[in-house]
mmCIF file of all heavy atoms in Angstrom:
data_model
loop_
_atom_site.group_PDB
_atom_site.id
_atom_site.type_symbol
_atom_site.label_atom_id
_atom_site.label_comp_id
_atom_site.label_asym_id
_atom_site.label_seq_id
_atom_site.Cartn_x
_atom_site.Cartn_y
_atom_site.Cartn_z
ATOM 1 N N TYR A 5 1.898 -9.292 -1.460
ATOM 2 C CA TYR A 5 2.357 -9.396 -0.053
ATOM 3 C C TYR A 5 1.193 -9.862 0.811
ATOM 4 O O TYR A 5 1.364 -10.733 1.682
ATOM 5 C CB TYR A 5 2.914 -8.091 0.411
ATOM 6 C CG TYR A 5 3.375 -8.115 1.841
ATOM 7 C CD1 TYR A 5 4.519 -8.802 2.210
ATOM 8 C CD2 TYR A 5 2.661 -7.443 2.832
ATOM 9 C CE1 TYR A 5 4.945 -8.847 3.523
ATOM 10 C CE2 TYR A 5 3.073 -7.473 4.139
ATOM 11 C CZ TYR A 5 4.202 -8.190 4.484
ATOM 12 O OH TYR A 5 4.624 -8.209 5.812
ATOM 13 N N LEU A 6 0.007 -9.230 0.641
ATOM 14 C CA LEU A 6 -1.143 -9.634 1.413
ATOM 15 C C LEU A 6 -1.439 -11.120 1.218
ATOM 16 O O LEU A 6 -1.697 -11.842 2.184
ATOM 17 C CB LEU A 6 -2.369 -8.783 1.027
ATOM 18 C CG LEU A 6 -3.664 -9.211 1.658
ATOM 19 C CD1 LEU A 6 -4.291 -8.013 2.355
ATOM 20 C CD2 LEU A 6 -4.610 -9.814 0.667
ATOM 21 N N ALA A 7 -1.415 -11.596 -0.031
ATOM 22 C CA ALA A 7 -1.706 -12.993 -0.296
ATOM 23 C C ALA A 7 -0.678 -13.888 0.383
ATOM 24 O O ALA A 7 -1.030 -14.964 0.884
ATOM 25 C CB ALA A 7 -1.726 -13.249 -1.804
ATOM 26 N N TRP A 8 0.543 -13.504 0.379
ATOM 27 C CA TRP A 8 1.613 -14.291 1.019
ATOM 28 C C TRP A 8 1.420 -14.285 2.529
ATOM 29 O O TRP A 8 1.537 -15.313 3.181
ATOM 30 C CB TRP A 8 2.995 -13.723 0.623
ATOM 31 C CG TRP A 8 4.127 -14.406 1.342
ATOM 32 C CD1 TRP A 8 4.622 -15.656 1.088
ATOM 33 C CD2 TRP A 8 4.859 -13.874 2.435
ATOM 34 N NE1 TRP A 8 5.660 -15.902 1.965
ATOM 35 C CE2 TRP A 8 5.815 -14.838 2.804
ATOM 36 C CE3 TRP A 8 4.795 -12.685 3.126
ATOM 37 C CZ2 TRP A 8 6.710 -14.648 3.827
ATOM 38 C CZ3 TRP A 8 5.686 -12.467 4.160
ATOM 39 C CH2 TRP A 8 6.632 -13.471 4.518
ATOM 40 N N LYS A 9 1.150 -13.099 3.075
ATOM 41 C CA LYS A 9 1.068 -12.950 4.530
ATOM 42 C C LYS A 9 -0.215 -13.569 5.115
ATOM 43 O O LYS A 9 -0.146 -14.226 6.161
ATOM 44 C CB LYS A 9 1.132 -11.457 4.887
ATOM 45 C CG LYS A 9 1.324 -11.146 6.314
ATOM 46 C CD LYS A 9 2.744 -11.325 6.685
ATOM 47 C CE LYS A 9 2.977 -10.786 8.080
ATOM 48 N NZ LYS A 9 4.208 -11.223 8.638
ATOM 49 N N LEU A 10 -1.358 -13.357 4.460
ATOM 50 C CA LEU A 10 -2.635 -13.816 4.986
ATOM 51 C C LEU A 10 -3.190 -15.078 4.333
ATOM 52 O O LEU A 10 -4.167 -15.629 4.792
ATOM 53 C CB LEU A 10 -3.677 -12.668 4.879
ATOM 54 C CG LEU A 10 -3.303 -11.387 5.606
ATOM 55 C CD1 LEU A 10 -4.430 -10.356 5.468
ATOM 56 C CD2 LEU A 10 -2.986 -11.622 7.080
ATOM 57 N N GLY A 11 -2.553 -15.461 3.227
ATOM 58 C CA GLY A 11 -2.936 -16.706 2.553
ATOM 59 C C GLY A 11 -3.840 -16.463 1.349
ATOM 60 O O GLY A 11 -4.534 -15.442 1.290
ATOM 61 N N PRO A 12 -3.822 -17.384 0.412
ATOM 62 C CA PRO A 12 -4.626 -17.231 -0.798
ATOM 63 C C PRO A 12 -6.124 -17.204 -0.553
ATOM 64 O O PRO A 12 -6.872 -16.532 -1.263
ATOM 65 C CB PRO A 12 -4.212 -18.425 -1.670
ATOM 66 C CG PRO A 12 -3.565 -19.407 -0.752
ATOM 67 C CD PRO A 12 -3.037 -18.609 0.396
ATOM 68 N N GLU A 13 -6.592 -17.918 0.462
ATOM 69 C CA GLU A 13 -8.037 -17.936 0.793
ATOM 70 C C GLU A 13 -8.485 -16.509 1.108
ATOM 71 O O GLU A 13 -9.542 -16.070 0.663
ATOM 72 C CB GLU A 13 -8.320 -18.859 1.963
ATOM 73 C CG GLU A 13 -7.976 -20.306 1.714
ATOM 74 C CD GLU A 13 -6.485 -20.621 1.971
ATOM 75 O OE1 GLU A 13 -5.799 -19.777 2.570
ATOM 76 O OE2 GLU A 13 -6.066 -21.693 1.549
ATOM 77 N N THR A 14 -7.706 -15.777 1.885
ATOM 78 C CA THR A 14 -8.052 -14.402 2.244
ATOM 79 C C THR A 14 -7.988 -13.526 1.018
ATOM 80 O O THR A 14 -8.877 -12.699 0.793
ATOM 81 C CB THR A 14 -7.107 -13.873 3.327
ATOM 82 O OG1 THR A 14 -7.256 -14.694 4.493
ATOM 83 C CG2 THR A 14 -7.414 -12.438 3.706
ATOM 84 N N ALA A 15 -6.947 -13.668 0.218
ATOM 85 C CA ALA A 15 -6.777 -12.803 -0.975
ATOM 86 C C ALA A 15 -7.900 -13.009 -2.000
ATOM 87 O O ALA A 15 -8.178 -12.115 -2.784
ATOM 88 C CB ALA A 15 -5.425 -13.078 -1.628
ATOM 89 N N LEU A 16 -8.585 -14.163 -1.932
ATOM 90 C CA LEU A 16 -9.694 -14.430 -2.846
ATOM 91 C C LEU A 16 -11.061 -13.971 -2.332
ATOM 92 O O LEU A 16 -12.057 -14.082 -3.012
ATOM 93 C CB LEU A 16 -9.736 -15.930 -3.177
ATOM 94 C CG LEU A 16 -8.602 -16.414 -4.055
ATOM 95 C CD1 LEU A 16 -8.597 -17.947 -4.130
ATOM 96 C CD2 LEU A 16 -8.673 -15.800 -5.433
#
Side-chain angles (χ1 to χ4, degrees):
Y5 179 72
L6 174 126
W8 175 75
K9 191 78 171 166
L10 302 181
E13 299 83 12
T14 299
L16 290 170

